[in-house]
Amino acid sequence: MINVLIFGAPGSGKGTQSARIAQTFGLEHISTGDILRKEIADQTSLGILAQDYIKEGHLVPDEDVVAMLEHHLEGKLGKVKGFIFDGFPRTIPQADALKRMLARHDCEVSIVLDLNVPEDELIRRLLERGKISGRSDDNLEAIKSRLVVYNNQTFPLKEYFRKEGTLTPINGLGEMDDIFASISEAIDSVL
Ligand code: B4P
């Protein structure tokens, strides 16, 4: 199995590139943001819990996101070609949990794509999307909070994956096709 993690700040292009990676490499796309938004739309108990965290730009508690992910992977681990994990893990406890889940099926993280984009461009992209997305967190206040949360809780994962030897920096600035070409080259190198 090949397990690709895409890592980057809000607005770095994780969702956009993950969809193409899934299609080109035949991987299952797991976006914890999309799953949570679906739970909110369906007003499940998880959705009701998650909606205020997301609106404020905070992370949903680790135990809830890990349980949700375990549920989504159930029956698939070891049976599909691989996964592209988009927006998970976002904290060190989540990274440890993913490692344990994969290890139970003799799998591991193959590569971590680290999309780098300057902060002013992240804000520009998210405000632009906010004009049409209807997302509760695509407004300036929530975006600023998401960036603080990213810097405090998610950024330390770079060092975690650097130590594991899987972190692969990708320039996330520029044309989407050019970024995808760099990503494809990186994934090809671990296939
Ligand atoms: P996500 O849905 O993961 O949202 P995000 O990090 O803000 O990134 P997103 O995928 O939307 O943006 P992208 O980089 O694709 O999470 C939302 C919330 O859910 C979190 O804040 C948190 O509350 C919760 N959550 C999710 N996962 C969690 C977890 N594991 N633990 C706890 N809580 C969790 O960029 C998108 C924009 O940039 C698009 O408009 C796109 O068109 C544009 N773009 C992309 N590439 C571009 C390029 N090259 N040039 C110009 N624009 C580009």
Side-chain angles (χ1 to χ4, degrees):
M1 264 183 88
I2 166 157
N3 294 300
V4 178
L5 264 60
I6 191 155
F7 177 83
S12 56
K14 299 183 298 290
T16 314
Q17 297 295 337
S18 293
R20 293 185 66 170
I21 296 168
Q23 202 181 22
T24 304
F25 292 93
L27 305 178
E28 292 256 328
H29 181 187
I30 304 271
S31 158
T32 43
D34 286 350
I35 299 169
L36 287 167
R37 281 184 288 277
K38 167 90 171 52
E39 297 279 341
I40 294 172
D42 295 345
Q43 284 290 286
T44 63
S45 53
L46 174 60
I48 291 166
L49 170 100
Q51 61 194 6
D52 288 338
Y53 288 103
I54 293 186
K55 194 167 146 207
E56 301 292 325
H58 296 144
L59 295 182
V60 177
D62 284 339
E63 60 271 27
D64 298 298
V65 179
V66 168
M68 175 184 89
L69 188 83
E70 272 180 333
H71 175 72
H72 270 262
L73 294 185
E74 216 173 274
K76 289 185 180 164
L77 268 170
K79 295 195 180 123
V80 296
K81 187 176 169 195
F83 293 96
I84 164 81
F85 291 98
D86 163 10
F88 186 96
R90 266 177 150 93
T91 63
I92 288 175
Q94 290 183 16
D96 287 336
L98 179 64
K99 218 160 124 177
R100 285 195 300 272
M101 277 184 248
L102 294 176
R104 283 202 289 272
H105 295 270
D106 291 326
C107 302
E108 57 185 10
V109 171
S110 316
I111 186 167
V112 180
L113 304 166
D114 174 25
L115 279 177
N116 292 297
V117 176
E119 200 161 296
D120 54 348
E121 170 67 4
L122 298 172
I123 296 172
R124 191 197 67 74
R125 287 182 189 178
L126 294 172
L127 286 176
E128 194 57 34
R129 183 174 67 183
K131 291 179 190 164
I132 47 162
S133 69
R135 268 178 60 163
S136 63
D137 58 350
D138 278 347
N139 58 75
L140 192 56
E141 205 181 330
I143 292 167
K144 284 187 173 162
S145 159
R146 285 154 75 192
L147 290 170
V148 170
V149 166
Y150 170 79
N151 287 325
N152 291 339
Q153 299 188 54
T154 307
F155 188 85
L157 280 175
K158 281 200 193 209
E159 195 46 37
Y160 179 103
F161 289 117
R162 193 175 291 121
K163 281 191 188 141
E164 304 244 314
T166 46
L167 194 77
T168 307
I170 303 283
N171 176 13
L173 206 53
E175 294 298 322
M176 293 182 195
D177 285 350
D178 295 336
I179 299 165
F180 185 66
S182 312
I183 287 177
S184 297
E185 201 180 313
I187 297 177
D188 279 336
S189 74
V190 295
L191 281 180

